Amino acid sequence: MNASIDMLIDTAPGEDLKAIALKVRSSERITDDECLVLFEKGSLAFVGALANFIREKLHGDTTYFNRNFHIEPTNVCAFSCEFCSYSRLYAHKEEGWELSIDQMLDIVKTYDGKPITEVHIVGGVHPKMNMAYFIELMQKIKAHRPELHVKAFTAVELDYMFRKAKLSIEEGMKQLHAAGLDSLPGGGAEIFHPEIREQICADKVDANGWLAIHEAAHNLGMHSNATMLYGHIEKYEHRVDHMRRLRELQDKTGGFNTFIPLKFRNMDNAMSHVPESTIIEDMRLYAIARIYLDNFPHLKAYWPMLGRQNAQLSLSFGVNDIDGTIDDSTKIYSMAGSEEQTPAMSTAELVTLIKQVKRKPVERDTLYNMVKDYSDADLVTT
Ligand code: V47
Ligand code: SF4
């Protein structure tokens, strides 16, 4: 492993790239300017080799997945993000769906007896689904299946809920945590920089609000994820700014588990005229994120959005987690034109996918505790 990074250092095309490779070899943090240099000048091969060095130092060949399902309570939304293919405005709510608490509990019950460890609950921001509604949902899920980890609500949903209930972030978070909320997903971050945020999602929580909500969760001992919606109208400096804010908060709290870059998909939304990024650019971004976010333990490729083969490829570009089985329970990407129109993978398929690229499949729980090492399992895909 060291020999290959030594060679990279010797052959680096330019002093600035060489200085970055030297830092990576000695586990030194790169600066924002250096991150920009990587975006502007780093070839796929160069950033990929550095990211793979870091990935293997942190995790060896281990590649995590989990067994989860999603519940999307509604796609009715008070907001109107330009990139969203999924939401229906409240005024057009007859085109959307709204699940009752009992309907959501019935979904949970369909997994009774199955070895699922996590439910991921995220949806639109429905004006009538308030704190009381979701507190009742959390309590009922926990009463039915106490060990199921509930990862729910983006900072966008939480900001709206807390403001409507006239609660401080700290108080609102405390109440939901007490009701059964275990951790937060990473959605709603999009691009933090106001120059871009104002153009793609002007009316929802801003960067400081998003970060304050995650900080409050971390202060209660909860963990969370962070995303970045990339590959649309943002420039490289906006990506660096976004990741800098995340790195700073992580220095303060250590509460983030994983960073999840989300590739913008352009079907059926107000930004359909914006071309999608190339696979080369996708892999470069994964690699650069792995290099820059030195305090994030994990980097996740969300396979329903990227597709199975590209998710496999990402395992050579810094990624060490490919999310979960999902069980065809999310629509947010299929409605935006993602590769996977009915996202579901059996454990055997996930294990095979990881083994095909010579990595080691490990099932994890939400907090990255090992559930099972599948290295030697002889599973047959269906
Ligand atoms: O915030 C919406 C994104 C996110 C589009 O934490 C789009 O484990 C691409 O955050 N093209 C919600 N992306 C989903 C999310 C998530 C997903 C999986 C795992 C986790 C986790 C979190 O979906 C939104 C937005 O950034 N999104 N529309 C689109 N057209
Ligand atoms: Fe609503 Fe989320 Fe879609 Fe924005 S991305 S319109 S907040 S569902």
Side-chain angles (χ1 to χ4, degrees), residues 57-326:
K57 198 163 73 181
L58 291 175
H59 306 288
D61 281 330
T62 297
T63 300
Y64 292 104
F65 67 93
N66 73 345
R67 296 206 211 201
N68 64 350
F69 65 98
H70 288 222
I71 296 179
E72 296 178 352
T74 181
N75 68 339
V76 172
C77 191
F79 298 115
S80 45
C81 305
E82 300 289 311
F83 53 80
C84 185
S85 319
Y86 158 93
S87 68
R88 295 293 172 266
L89 284 173
Y90 193 56
H92 306 153
K93 68 181 165 54
E94 61 285 354
E95 294 168 21
W97 70 82
E98 306 173 14
L99 300 182
S100 67
I101 290 174
D102 283 344
Q103 283 172 318
M104 291 192 263
L105 208 57
D106 283 345
I107 297 177
V108 174
K109 287 178 184 165
T110 60
Y111 294 91
D112 284 358
K114 293 187 184 160
I116 291 282
T117 57
E118 172 191 286
V119 56
H120 174 133
I121 309 175
V122 164
V125 178
H126 193 301
K128 295 218 170 117
M129 291 182 176
N130 57 14
M131 274 293 280
Y133 191 82
F134 285 122
I135 283 179
E136 189 184 337
L137 176 68
M138 300 287 102
Q139 288 168 337
K140 287 193 165 158
I141 292 176
K142 286 293 181 178
H144 180 71
R145 193 161 171 176
E147 82 291 354
L148 186 66
H149 186 106
V150 180
K151 181 179 76 175
F153 312 127
T154 65
V156 177
E157 293 165 275
L158 293 169
D159 169 69
Y160 188 87
M161 252 188 258
F162 298 162
R163 279 189 295 115
K164 260 204 137 170
K166 299 196 172 23
L167 290 171
S168 68
I169 294 175
E170 287 69 26
E171 186 50 37
M173 198 65 76
K174 244 188 234 163
Q175 289 187 14
L176 283 172
H177 187 39
L181 177 65
D182 294 304
S183 63
L184 306 188
E190 321 314 357
I191 288 286
F192 287 144
H193 199 289
E195 238 167 59
I196 301 299
R197 205 168 182 85
E198 275 157 22
Q199 294 182 65
I200 64 171
C201 54
D203 52 357
K204 72 186 186 188
V205 66
D206 65 7
N208 289 340
W210 191 99
L211 291 162
I213 285 174
H214 282 255
E215 184 170 359
H218 298 171
N219 289 342
L220 289 174
M222 297 162 73
H223 284 262
S224 73
N225 293 335
T227 58
M228 176 169 76
L229 179 73
Y230 73 92
H232 42 90
I233 59 166
E234 89 288 3
K235 297 206 170 75
Y236 289 146
E237 52 259 40
H238 300 121
R239 296 183 187 181
V240 178
D241 174 79
H242 189 93
M243 293 196 290
R244 177 186 51 75
R245 295 179 200 230
L246 293 174
R247 192 167 80 169
E248 280 173 6
L249 180 55
Q250 180 74 334
D251 276 343
K252 208 165 151 189
T253 65
F256 287 118
N257 279 336
T258 182
F259 180 60
I260 314 164
L262 295 172
K263 175 190 174 97
F264 164 69
R265 307 305 305 240
N266 66 7
M267 198 170 93
D268 279 341
N269 57 49
M271 290 168 65
S272 290
H273 57 285
V274 176
E276 292 182 358
S277 63
T278 62
I279 188 67
I280 305 261
E281 200 51 24
D282 297 337
M283 295 302 139
R284 268 176 18 94
L285 171 63
Y286 281 115
I288 295 169
R290 183 59 284 171
I291 297 165
Y292 180 81
L293 291 173
D294 60 338
N295 55 4
F296 271 65
H298 305 285
L299 180 64
K300 174 151 76 176
Y302 187 55
W303 68 262
M305 181 255 292
L306 212 54
R308 294 165 203 227
Q309 290 187 347
N310 293 338
Q312 277 183 321
L313 191 62
S314 73
L315 300 183
S316 297
F317 292 90
V319 168
N320 68 297
D321 183 356
I322 55 170
D323 205 82
T325 42
I326 298 172

